[in-house]
Amino acid sequence: MDSMKLSLLRHTGNHSGTRTLSLISLLSLGLMLGACQPSGVKPGGEGYTTEQVVSERAENLINRARQSGSPQREHLLIEAADMLYRSNSLERAHQVFAEIDKSRLNLQMLAEYSVLGAEMAMSEDNFFTARSLLIHPALEQHYQQMPLELQQKWHQLRADLFSLLGEEQRSIAEYIALSTSLADPVSIHQVHDQLWQVLSRLPQNDLDQALQAENDRVTMGWYTLTSVSRNNPGDITQLQKSLANWRQNWAWHPAAIYPPEGLDAINRIAANLPKHLALLLPLSHDKFGAPSKTLLDGFMASYYDVLANGGTPPSIKVYDTSNGQSITATYQQAVTEGAQLVIGPLDPNLVKELNNTTVLSVPTVTLNYLPDDFDLPAQNLYQFGVTPADEAKEVAQRAWLEGHRTVVTFTPTSDLGDKVLTAFTHAWEQLGGTVLTKSRYPEGITDYKNITKQALLIDQNQQRTNELARLLGKKLVNEPLRRRQDVDMIFLHASPNDARLIKPTLDYYSASNLPVYATSWVYTGKPDPARDNDLNGIRFTAMPWALPGNITGNIKPDNALHQPLKLLFALGVDAYRIHQGVLHMQTLPSTRLPGITGTLLLDPKSQEIIREHPWAEFRQGRVRAAKIVEETDNL
């Protein structure tokens, strides 16, 4: 896979490097090197390049194949296609690959064919083509008959791809199978690290169901370990005790013998936890006062939850940043009075000022982001917040993975709408997608016909129909409305009320078959099947609390709160948990922490704490976990 494209898929960010978004899974380095590097053939003489020599050898194999019968013919073609692919002759590799007669392949050749085809498809972002090759029924039934090295490569590709596509339980099964087939401790540790990342983002209800249904002891041990790791959010000392008990009960388990690095580091982190926190909030500010109090409610809810479960939370002191004192002076006062970690400020202007005017002597987790023109934050400053602009990047990634390439966007004419549109457009174009039309609408209007007709080019198509009728000299009766055919998805950022009008209008103008992807703002968080029938088919980045069973514990925003305040309450809950988690993330940037704003991880470049969301969709007026959408792309 092209290294630049892989980077974009892993981290879709804006031009200044801020607020990047990590992909669901990282493809293994070994496979990436195998897929992207030449196979090591040396030049045949002066004036020859490696690619020329490989090309000549591959063509010799192809000529021999065409003079041979099966199965020798297929064996030689697979070898030639593989050789061409490894030397970056992708177009020629595809041509040779297309000559292979799948019906003539024995099990080993079918596995070689499927692995090579999957790698080729993934190099061109045809992820569902790769998936269809790797789930061939004959391979799934008889994979143990493959040579061990080929079997391991098959497991690794399947594990990585399932993780990439959000099929966590299938990915988990493949990583476990791969781990049990390995003998080298270093390789086992690497696979366990990959496995733990997938387990860390497994939805809680899926984990609960797996714990009830699983029969395999090794798999059960992994699921039990995952459950234990989630029982004490925000309290590493309690987590230490729980993990020690697990190790005692599962001493024989591979995870106890070769623990994932993220768990192995907890004892080191626990020794350096902050015992005194400072929380910087604009409690008396005209604009930010009420929001900051909601955030404080969430923060303290998390604090008291730890206390109620036998934990020992740190001492907390709250400072009002709207009391007339500069943010620099307030920060220094907090540190002087013993703060070992600072959370805040909330006001983005103060975040900028704090970043510019003082040396941050203790770790500082802001509750908003620096402007986009900042290349790098100050040392010790970590950015954390909730904004639909982050989700817009995640939507771009998901839609791209599911095979979409051209989009029409619908976003409101507001400052937030501008930010969301900019974030989505930049992420989408970095991946290689095309934004055909950017439709803007005033929030709260009741008629979206004109906006939708313009976006879908209905008027132009109607004009062409009228011209055709004039040329034919007769009226075309009941000619259906025709929309543009060059678009394959819709991106929507809208409130529930606006979305309930926009989606039916799209359907009316012949766009009911276009997938619609949205941010979490499309859902109130409260079931309303009668009204949400108009949202059927929309896929969106859901807040974990909006999907039943997706979070551990009972802390979640009150349904009576408006959507922005729900986000701030949730931000407060996770801000408390982050005070320990940021040290874990700093030590191991691959660490994922379950939060109620999403699965949390750190981008070490921008020092942003990123949120990965579960995916949901509206079906029959109700919100359900989104199913995998398979595209029909072809190799």
Side-chain angles (χ1 to χ4, degrees), residues 7-34:
S7 175
L8 292 173
L9 284 172
R10 285 176 175 173
H11 298 289
T12 302
N14 60 32
H15 64 280
S16 63
T18 60
R19 285 197 293 290
T20 55
L21 181 64
S22 174
L23 193 61
I24 292 173
S25 173
L26 304 182
L27 295 174
S28 67
L29 178 61
L31 286 175
M32 290 308 305
L33 293 176

Side-chain angles (χ1 to χ4, degrees), residues 1 29 39 81 99 103 128 252 307 378 432 526 528 550 581:
M1 182 181 291
L29 178 61
S39 56
E99 292 187 38
S103 68
F128 287 100
W252 59 271
L307 200 62
K526 183 178 181 179
D528 192 354
N550 257 264

Side-chain angles (χ1 to χ4, degrees), residues 37-58 83 86-87:
Q37 299 294 330
S39 56
V41 180
K42 294 182 179 180
E46 187 177 351
Y48 281 82
T49 66
T50 302
E51 289 76 12
Q52 288 175 310
V53 173
V54 171
S55 178
E56 287 181 8
R57 294 189 177 187
M83 189 177 293
R86 306 290 169 200
S87 65

Side-chain angles (χ1 to χ4, degrees), residues 328-349:
T328 303
T330 302
Y331 181 88
Q332 295 297 351
Q333 178 187 350
V335 173
T336 300
E337 293 177 358
Q340 296 169 308
L341 186 141
V342 173
I343 298 175
L346 177 64
D347 184 336
N349 293 322

Side-chain angles (χ1 to χ4, degrees), residues 75 78 97 107-117 139 150:
H75 173 74
I78 291 172
F97 193 82
L107 182 69
Q108 178 171 337
M109 286 195 294
L110 178 61
E112 292 169 348
Y113 171 90
S114 298
V115 166
L116 173 60
L139 298 181
L150 183 57

Side-chain angles (χ1 to χ4, degrees), residues 538-558:
I538 294 180
R539 297 164 65 80
F540 63 98
T541 49
M543 286 298 161
W545 72 77
L547 290 174
N550 257 264
I551 57 174
T552 304
N554 298 314
I555 304 178
K556 62 180 181 179
D558 192 315

Side-chain angles (χ1 to χ4, degrees), residues 389-434:
D390 294 328
E391 296 178 39
K393 300 170 192 174
E394 198 170 357
V395 171
Q397 283 188 329
R398 189 69 207 175
W400 182 267
L401 284 172
E402 293 185 351
H404 303 297
R405 298 296 181 262
T406 56
V407 62
V408 167
T409 65
F410 286 81
T411 53
T413 51
S414 63
D415 289 343
L416 181 58
D418 292 344
K419 292 177 181 178
V420 169
L421 178 60
T422 298
F424 176 85
T425 300
H426 188 72
W428 187 246
E429 291 178 345
Q430 273 195 301
L431 289 168
T434 301

Side-chain angles (χ1 to χ4, degrees), residues 403-630:
H404 303 297
R405 298 296 181 262
T406 56
V407 62
V408 167
T409 65
F410 286 81
T411 53
T413 51
S414 63
D415 289 343
L416 181 58
D418 292 344
K419 292 177 181 178
V420 169
L421 178 60
T422 298
F424 176 85
T425 300
H426 188 72
W428 187 246
E429 291 178 345
Q430 273 195 301
L431 289 168
T434 301
V435 180
L436 299 172
T437 301
K438 300 175 182 178
S439 296
R440 308 302 301 274
Y441 64 89
E443 292 179 283
I445 64 174
T446 58
D447 188 345
Y448 290 87
K449 289 181 181 178
N450 288 336
I451 293 169
T452 305
K453 286 169 67 177
Q454 291 171 12
L456 299 178
L457 304 183
I458 298 294
D459 288 338
Q460 288 91 323
N461 286 327
Q462 188 61 51
Q463 183 179 355
R464 284 193 290 270
T465 299
N466 294 339
E467 290 174 357
L468 177 61
R470 181 176 56 80
L471 290 171
L472 294 174
K474 61 180 181 179
K475 185 177 181 180
L476 299 179
V477 181
N478 296 326
E479 179 70 14
L481 293 170
R482 294 180 59 82
R483 63 166 175 83
R484 66 192 306 164
Q485 297 300 305
D486 56 350
V487 58
D488 61 28
M489 68 161 282
I490 302 290
F491 169 64
L492 174 66
H493 174 65
S495 68
N497 288 336
D498 288 336
R500 290 177 185 131
L501 295 172
I502 294 172
K503 181 61 168 66
T505 308
L506 288 167
D507 294 347
Y508 176 79
Y509 286 115
S510 305
S512 59
N513 62 334
L514 282 179
V516 178
Y517 291 76
T519 63
S520 65
W521 281 51
V522 77
Y523 181 45
T524 63
K526 183 178 181 179
D528 192 354
R531 301 179 69 198
D532 289 344
N533 261 319
D534 287 331
L535 303 177
N536 284 340
I538 294 180
R539 297 164 65 80
F540 63 98
T541 49
M543 286 298 161
W545 72 77
L547 290 174
N550 257 264
I551 57 174
T552 304
N554 298 314
I555 304 178
K556 62 180 181 179
D558 192 315
N559 272 334
L561 291 173
H562 293 301
Q563 182 76 347
L565 293 180
K566 285 183 181 180
L567 291 174
L568 284 167
F569 180 92
L571 178 63
V573 172
D574 284 351
Y576 175 84
R577 295 177 180 178
I578 282 294
H579 87 270
Q580 294 186 350
V582 71
L583 301 178
H584 202 172
M585 294 171 172
Q586 186 181 36
T587 304
L588 294 170
S590 63
T591 298
R592 281 170 163 78
L593 300 176
I596 73 167
T597 60
T599 300
L600 310 177
L601 64 156
L602 178 69
D603 175 5
K605 181 180 179 181
S606 65
Q607 292 176 208
E608 292 184 1
I609 296 164
I610 301 160
R611 298 174 294 120
E612 294 177 340
H613 298 84
W615 275 86
E617 62 185 352
F618 288 96
R619 282 178 278 165
Q620 298 181 334
R622 296 186 180 276
V623 169
R624 300 284 186 267
K627 296 179 179 178
I628 296 297
V629 175
E630 294 193 40

